[in-house]
Amino acid sequence: EWISQFWWQELDTDVQEQLRVDLLALCASTSIVMHNAVADLKKLRENGFAFTGPENFKELNDSMLLHAVLESELPHDLGYLGIEHGTLPAYKNLGVVPGAADIYNACDVVQTSLIWTRYLKPFMDKDPQSEFIYRSLQMPDIWQIIEGEEAGIRVNPYTPVPLYHRYDQK
């Protein structure tokens, strides 16, 4: 396992394009774990990465989504999972420390990997019904969610403002 971080906006376009190609190749050749794959994939797509569906991945996993299947009654954010099942010391306060964004991000990546390998994957392996729900019903839906959110909802432009004022008066 390894982590590479880049300040995307500071890279020239040739390096950005090479990273796009390299990341697509990496995802096609190894298992990937994300925490909230919908948000991560949408951000990657916003930056020109051509992720179009499961065919881009050897295996894509989402720790947040799996935790929602395994323990639906609990919170699924990485902060909660880190406190309950993580192995890193508390680091979420780094999110507000100037100059610590790269450390904070690296900790999120490492924590996601550790929680997946040490807690979620073994838990799922003991529960074949949950694994079926996760792999067959939940993970395939992430692509429809992404497409739907990116497409948006068509709205009559004259309807929202009067409804907003009516709601505001209530």
Side-chain angles (χ1 to χ4, degrees), residues 39-170:
D40 290 344
L41 290 167
K42 283 176 59 179
K43 185 54 72 178
L44 287 165
R45 286 165 56 126
E46 286 173 17
N47 285 287
F49 290 84
F51 292 112
T52 57
E55 66 276 0
N56 296 124
F57 294 88
K58 176 181 178 184
E59 180 183 24
L60 175 63
N61 287 293
D62 184 330
S63 57
M64 185 178 78
L65 190 55
L66 177 57
H67 189 252
V69 170
L70 296 173
E71 297 185 294
S72 60
E73 67 283 359
L74 298 175
H76 313 301
D77 60 277
L78 193 54
Y80 171 81
L81 287 171
I83 291 167
E84 293 296 316
H85 308 289
T87 56
L88 295 181
Y91 67 90
K92 285 296 190 178
N93 60 329
L94 292 173
V96 296
V97 175
D102 54 344
I103 298 168
Y104 177 86
N105 184 64
C107 288
D108 270 357
V109 172
V110 170
Q111 189 79 291
T112 298
S113 178
L114 291 171
I115 288 169
W116 180 264
T117 57
R118 296 181 181 186
Y119 174 66
L120 292 172
K121 178 84 167 74
F123 190 164
M124 178 179 63
D125 290 344
K126 295 176 191 172
D127 187 350
Q129 287 101 354
S130 290
E131 182 175 12
F132 173 79
I133 290 168
Y134 168 72
R135 295 206 186 279
S136 302
L137 303 176
Q138 300 290 356
M139 284 303 291
D141 283 349
I142 67 171
W143 299 103
Q144 289 179 320
I145 293 167
I146 291 168
E147 294 291 334
E149 288 181 4
E150 287 178 351
I153 300 171
R154 182 176 291 174
V155 175
N156 179 336
Y158 304 105
T159 303
V161 173
L163 289 175
Y164 168 79
H165 292 302
R166 200 166 89 201
Y167 176 78
D168 195 40
Q169 288 174 350
K170 286 183 180 181

